[in-house]
Amino acid sequence: MRIGELAERAGTTTRTLRYYESRGLLHAGRAENGYRTYEESDLRLIQQIRTLQDFGFDLEETRPFVDCLRAGHPAGDACPASLAVYRRKLGELDALIGQLQSVRTEVGAQLARAELEASAELPGGPEPRCELNWEDDA
């Protein structure tokens, strides 16, 4: 198939496919007229790359999965290098989750402090000001 058809079937752009090719992730054949040609297996490579990127993998992290598919494995994550990338990504995600939980704890503590302070304000104090203007400008 030609590049336009592959892009359409993969739900991406020809520019993206050329970029993948420049990075060595996708290899195009050439027709007699010089047009790039692709195999059905290339569609599977693109789908693997896009799925991994949707999961937060950067483009270079997809390389072992692509290599695994090219080696003939029906799933690109069955090779040792792919498994190592999965393990590393899980470690990164666990670290991010820990950081987010810490930030959430801090924000929750700040909210509790602010609510306590707000409830301790003297009655009759200044009303909170709303800066929104609901008047019609027409």
Side-chain angles (χ1 to χ4, degrees):
M1 76 186 89
R2 292 192 11 204
I3 193 169
E5 181 183 351
L6 179 60
E8 184 177 327
R9 290 182 62 195
T12 191
T13 64
T14 57
R15 182 178 179 182
T16 297
L17 296 181
R18 283 188 211 99
Y19 180 68
Y20 291 168
E21 189 177 339
S22 75
R23 300 293 305 267
L25 293 169
L26 184 62
H27 301 293
R30 292 288 177 169
E32 287 181 19
N33 58 9
Y35 290 150
R36 289 174 170 88
T37 60
Y38 299 93
E39 303 297 321
E40 193 68 29
S41 59
D42 293 318
L43 177 59
R44 178 69 185 109
L45 292 176
I46 301 306
Q47 291 169 333
Q48 180 78 58
I49 291 168
R50 290 178 51 85
T51 297
L52 291 168
Q53 287 188 305
D54 288 346
F55 291 160
F57 289 69
D58 65 37
L59 191 57
E60 194 55 39
E61 288 174 316
T62 69
R63 188 173 302 279
F65 298 88
V66 170
D67 292 343
C68 191
L69 284 169
R70 278 200 188 112
H73 295 276
D77 56 5
C79 298
S82 302
L83 296 172
V85 172
Y86 271 154
R87 287 185 193 101
R88 187 173 59 247
K89 183 57 81 175
L90 277 177
E92 291 172 11
L93 291 170
D94 288 341
L96 286 171
I97 289 168
Q99 291 171 353
L100 287 172
Q101 286 174 331
S102 178
V103 169
R104 188 189 189 293
T105 299
E106 288 297 318
V107 170
Q110 292 293 337
L111 173 61
R113 181 202 49 78
E115 287 176 335
L116 185 60
E117 212 172 89
S119 69
E121 292 289 321
L122 295 174
E127 289 291 320
R129 292 185 47 188
C130 180
E131 299 297 327
L132 295 176
N133 184 355
W134 296 100
E135 294 178 23
D136 188 16
D137 293 334

